[in-house]
């Protein structure tokens, strides 16, 4: 079974023409509708899930473009 490609914060930022800080903060605050940001219990660390479809819809490209950039 092939695992789906992971879309990193860095990849999303590059595709959007924004900084990684913009993507992280936008997701943390719930202002960037491209996936989920979750703070790890008892920690200041965050984990991010970026949906290829949501990112593609947000920036107006096909899912294939997003997956090819991953």
């Amino acid at each position: 079974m092939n695992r789906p490609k992971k879309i990193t914060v860095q990849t999303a930022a590059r595709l959007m023409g924004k900084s990684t800080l913009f993507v992280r903060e936008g997701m943390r605050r719930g202002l960037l509708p491209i996936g989920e940001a979750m703070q790890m219990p008892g920690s200041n660390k965050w984990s991010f899930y970026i949906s290829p479809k949501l990112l593609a819809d947000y920036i107006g490209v096909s899912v294939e473009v997003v997956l090819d950039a991953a």
Side-chain angles (χ1 to χ4, degrees), residues 14-49:
R14 187 175 70 248
L15 287 169
M16 294 172 64
K18 299 292 184 182
S19 70
T20 56
L21 181 60
F22 176 91
V23 173
R24 285 189 189 101
E25 283 301 310
M27 291 183 72
R28 284 180 190 152
R29 296 177 188 191
L31 301 173
L32 200 52
I34 61 172
E36 299 294 328
M38 182 187 305
Q39 188 172 15
M40 298 294 103
S43 171
N44 284 333
K45 294 188 178 192
W46 286 76
S47 181
F48 300 91
Y49 166 72

Side-chain angles (χ1 to χ4, degrees), residues 2-3 8 12 14 24 28 32-33 36-38 43 48 51 54-55 58-59 63-64 66 69-70:
N2 290 339
R3 294 184 69 180
T8 64
R14 187 175 70 248
R24 285 189 189 101
R28 284 180 190 152
L32 200 52
E36 299 294 328
M38 182 187 305
S43 171
F48 300 91
S51 163
L54 292 176
L55 177 58
Y58 186 77
I59 62 176
V63 173
E64 288 76 22
V66 171

